[in-house]
Amino acid sequence: MAITKMVARRSTCLRRQVGAIIVKDKRILATGYNGAPSGLRHCEEVGCLRKDAGIPSGERHELCRGLHAEQNAIIQAAYHGISISGSTLYCTNKPCVICSKMIINAGINRVVFEDGYNDSLADGMLLEAGIEIERFES
């Protein structure tokens, strides 16, 4: 989790810095942090769309310039042709429902998180998919 927290420090999000790493056989396969897509201006430069619109944390995830850390880690693995099937995703925050659906389809079979809000739909989908969810206790 210490490495995951270090990755989170690269985040350009004004509201919350989140990091994710995907690990298999004790090897880091991919990393991700939350922020705007490659080549686009970051929220540090243009402001926070969610804050300006008064959107509470944990709601309306699609109304944001940035991608979540979990999404960026999965995309990084795909971009580089790295299979993440059967891996573990470590994340500083509990995945939302959108990330949970990506985790399921990517073949990740375990999620370890430190903090986060409850998302009953995400929890139910991960449970139904047989993905192990574990809260990291420091």
Side-chain angles (χ1 to χ4, degrees), residues 25 28 56-57 118 121 125:
D25 299 326
I28 296 172
S57 181
N118 286 324
L121 182 56
M125 292 180 92

Side-chain angles (χ1 to χ4, degrees), residues 109-128:
N109 61 14
R110 181 172 170 241
V111 174
V112 180
F113 70 96
E114 188 171 52
D115 293 316
Y117 44 80
N118 286 324
D119 185 331
S120 58
L121 182 56
D123 293 344
M125 292 180 92
L126 291 169
L127 180 66
E128 183 179 345

Side-chain angles (χ1 to χ4, degrees), residues 61-122:
H61 300 287
E62 74 280 7
L63 298 177
C64 180
R65 288 183 58 83
L67 291 132
H68 288 186
E70 304 95 319
Q71 294 167 342
N72 273 326
I74 291 168
I75 291 166
Q76 183 186 75
Y79 185 85
H80 292 287
I82 299 167
S83 172
I84 56 175
S85 180
S87 64
T88 296
L89 182 135
Y90 291 85
C91 193
T92 56
N93 279 72
K94 190 175 183 184
C96 71
V97 69
I98 296 169
C99 291
S100 294
K101 290 185 273 188
M102 292 179 70
I103 288 165
I104 293 165
N105 277 358
I108 294 168
N109 61 14
R110 181 172 170 241
V111 174
V112 180
F113 70 96
E114 188 171 52
D115 293 316
Y117 44 80
N118 286 324
D119 185 331
S120 58
L121 182 56

Side-chain angles (χ1 to χ4, degrees), residues 35-57:
S38 297
L40 300 186
R41 292 179 297 157
H42 296 283
C43 299
E44 309 171 313
E45 302 169 75
V46 298
C48 178
L49 173 71
R50 294 177 60 79
K51 181 181 176 186
D52 294 344
I55 301 168
S57 181

